[in-house]
Amino acid sequence: MSKKGIAILGATGSVGTQALDVIRAFPDVFEAVVLTCGSNGDLLIKQALEFKPKSVVVTDPGQYNKVREALQYQDISVLLGEEGLIEAVQYPEISIVLNAIVGSAGLRPTVTAIKGGKDIALANKETLVVAGELIMALVRAYGVNMLPVDSEHSAIFQCLVGESDNPIEKIYVTASGGPFRGKKREELLVVTKAQALKHPNWSMGAKITIDSASLMNKGLEVIEAKWLFDLNIDQVDVVVHPESIVHSLVQFRDGSMKAQMGLPDMKLPIQYALTYPARFENNFQRFNFMDYPALHFEQADMDTFRNLALAYDSLRAGGNKSCILNAANEVVVEAFLKEKIGFLQMSDIIEETLSKVDFIASPTLEDYLETDRLTRLLTKEIIKD
Ligand code: NDP
Ligand code: MG
């Protein structure tokens, strides 16, 4: 049996390194054909020496020479920048492109990979938030699989196996509530970056960890789910579930609900996306009911965590609104991480940006890229960055 060729975009990140753990566990099944990094050239070099891919791509130009020198005696080509990503995702040896880049930088490589006939294992939810309608149209036109890696969407995807004739009535996307669950606005005025970076259940990259604390992550996931599963906005509900054991639920038209459950560990949805439709045996830790005698569910507080409401509003408005939401969010999260703005200011600035960037009802890919660019400029201006 020939091996399944995988490209891992964002191999040096939280999802990327866990994807390499999965590939390492099944050396006869998977082959890493392409690995990419942003600024962590040192880790990419180590990964390249272990996995011997055909190519690596470095998107931070400052890291390029170092990586090239370190790999000069290897049979590995070293490519640079977005152009490098675009070239590498098209290699014929690749069957699945796992997109684990953070942010809208993942959009163009996803588009190219789909057009190249590759299945997509999608962690980069921003791709669907920015351009969900366009991406899903491409997925249908090119007949590729869009395999969700985000744990909630993997859960829904798993609940839908064998249900192709049964329409979804509703889905419930579960949310841990993050480190500030239950807090009110007065308390959130004074929370710090360090507190926001302490997620109760998941260990993830910095951007998504802040998004989880502000509930923007759940907002992005609502938008992601709408496009992935072709739903109306009223069919996508959020329920807070602090234990993160039920990863999401699907309700069918007879009222029956299916949930996918398990310990919070991204390796499981990553592995499922790569092995789908099969399930491979592994030694991941198993769930024990005695550790979780009770599971809890509560309503999301959208008055306090306004990002979730802003995401629903953007989705309802359609066009390039979610693209604006996403770009403004990327900029405010970076500013919060640099301690230039406070936690609650993030929603205020996103809201202001949403009202100022021109609305486009039926955007093309170029329109999305331009909206993304303009929104970043405007948001930085508002922050005075
Ligand atoms: P990380 O920040 O840990 O990793 C991001 C990866 O993308 C790194 O390899 C980074 O390179 C690379 N990267 C950063 N900026 C760019 C850029 N402009 N162009 C190309 N590559 C870039 O993020 P996560 O792994 O946490 O998240 C990745 C994606 O997966 C996000 O969209 C997130 O929402 C989603 N996701 C993550 C989950 C998690 O558990 N972490 C769970 C569900 C979804 P370098 O580090 O070398 O600079
Ligand atoms: Mg998620």
Side-chain angles (χ1 to χ4, degrees):
M1 193 182 77
S2 74
K3 293 189 201 177
K4 220 181 210 182
I6 316 283
I8 304 185
L9 314 187
T12 48
S14 163
V15 170
T17 51
Q18 295 181 82
L20 283 173
D21 289 342
V22 170
I23 290 184
R24 193 183 284 111
F26 302 103
D28 301 333
V29 182
F30 300 119
E31 184 173 3
V33 180
V34 172
L35 301 176
T36 86
C37 78
S39 307
N40 196 344
D42 291 327
L43 181 56
L44 186 72
I45 292 166
K46 266 177 73 179
Q47 294 176 337
L49 293 173
E50 177 184 351
F51 289 93
K52 306 266 193 270
K54 169 172 169 166
S55 282
V56 295
V57 185
V58 183
T59 51
D60 175 352
Q63 298 286 305
Y64 177 69
N65 282 338
K66 173 167 73 182
V67 175
R68 217 179 47 165
E69 269 165 38
L71 301 179
Q72 62 185 325
Y73 301 115
Q74 308 291 323
D75 190 16
I76 301 173
S77 55
V78 181
L79 309 178
L80 173 65
E82 191 177 55
E83 293 317 306
L85 290 173
I86 300 290
E87 180 183 336
V89 295
Q90 302 182 59
Y91 291 155
E93 298 89 335
I94 298 171
S95 347
I96 302 184
V97 172
L98 169 57
N99 189 342
I101 288 175
V102 61
S104 61
L107 174 60
R108 244 213 281 240
T110 312
V111 169
T112 311
I114 297 171
K115 289 184 174 171
K118 314 300 183 192
D119 288 339
I120 308 293
L122 192 73
N124 178 249
K125 63 191 82 183
E126 293 90 347
T127 282
L128 285 178
V129 173
V130 171
E133 192 168 9
L134 183 148
I135 291 288
M136 295 314 288
L138 285 174
V139 163
R140 286 186 291 272
Y142 287 85
V144 302
N145 285 312
M146 179 60 97
L147 306 155
V149 169
D150 211 349
S151 58
E152 296 77 1
H153 306 75
S154 174
I156 294 161
F157 188 66
Q158 293 181 54
C159 291
L160 292 175
V161 170
E163 303 280 5
S164 56
D165 292 336
N166 295 319
I168 298 171
E169 188 170 84
K170 190 171 198 162
I171 61 171
Y172 290 93
V173 179
T174 52
S176 71
F180 303 142
R181 182 176 60 88
K183 290 211 186 305
K184 292 291 163 205
R185 293 185 67 80
E186 311 80 71
E187 300 167 273
L188 292 179
L189 273 172
V190 293
V191 295
T192 64
K193 164 184 160 184
Q195 289 170 313
L197 281 171
K198 263 206 194 91
H199 195 280
N201 304 336
W202 300 94
S203 155
M204 311 179 285
K207 192 255 178 184
I208 184 177
T209 305
I210 301 302
D211 284 348
S212 301
S214 71
L215 288 206
M216 182 55 94
N217 184 49
K218 219 38 62 178
L220 302 182
E221 290 184 354
V222 165
I223 301 171
E224 180 185 13
K226 184 243 159 10
W227 295 117
L228 266 177
F229 304 112
D230 193 18
L231 301 170
N232 297 320
I233 187 163
D234 304 326
Q235 291 175 289
V236 186
D237 220 332
V238 169
V239 63
V240 173
H241 165 46
E243 292 85 7
S244 297
I245 294 299
V246 177
H247 296 309
S248 281
L249 307 94
V250 179
Q251 178 176 307
F252 294 95
R253 60 181 166 182
D254 59 355
S256 181
M257 297 168 86
K258 279 167 88 173
Q260 187 266 341
M261 300 169 61
L263 291 170
D265 180 352
M266 281 306 294
K267 285 211 278 293
L268 189 53
I270 293 168
Q271 176 179 308
Y272 188 68
L274 299 183
T275 64
Y276 170 83
R279 291 184 184 275
F280 283 12
E281 191 175 343
N282 62 31
N283 59 5
F284 300 163
Q285 197 189 335
R286 275 15 181 193
F287 178 79
N288 181 346
F289 278 96
M290 298 313 119
D291 294 336
Y292 293 89
L295 297 177
H296 299 85
F297 299 91
E298 57 192 58
Q299 202 165 16
D301 177 358
M302 290 208 224
D303 296 329
T304 305
F305 296 91
R306 282 186 23 253
N307 280 349
L308 184 53
L310 292 176
Y312 269 106
D313 291 347
S314 303
L315 188 52
R316 212 166 272 122
N320 61 343
K321 277 284 181 193
S322 302
C323 173
I324 302 169
L325 174 94
N326 179 71
N329 182 57
E330 288 190 34
V331 174
V332 295
V333 168
E334 206 182 311
F336 176 75
L337 284 169
K338 289 184 182 153
E339 300 180 305
K340 287 184 176 164
I341 57 172
F343 188 78
L344 287 180
Q345 273 180 291
M346 290 196 284
S347 307
D348 297 342
I349 296 167
I350 294 168
E351 193 166 15
E352 185 177 343
T353 311
L354 277 165
S355 70
K356 287 190 171 158
V357 178
D358 286 344
F359 180 69
I360 304 174
S362 303
T364 61
L365 179 61
E366 292 312 314
D367 291 331
Y368 284 124
L369 295 169
E370 185 60 5
T371 299
D372 182 84
R373 194 182 70 81
L374 290 174
T375 304
R376 282 167 195 272
L377 287 177
L378 179 70
T379 315
K380 283 184 183 161
E381 224 175 273
I382 295 172
I383 297 172
K384 299 188 177 47
D385 190 5

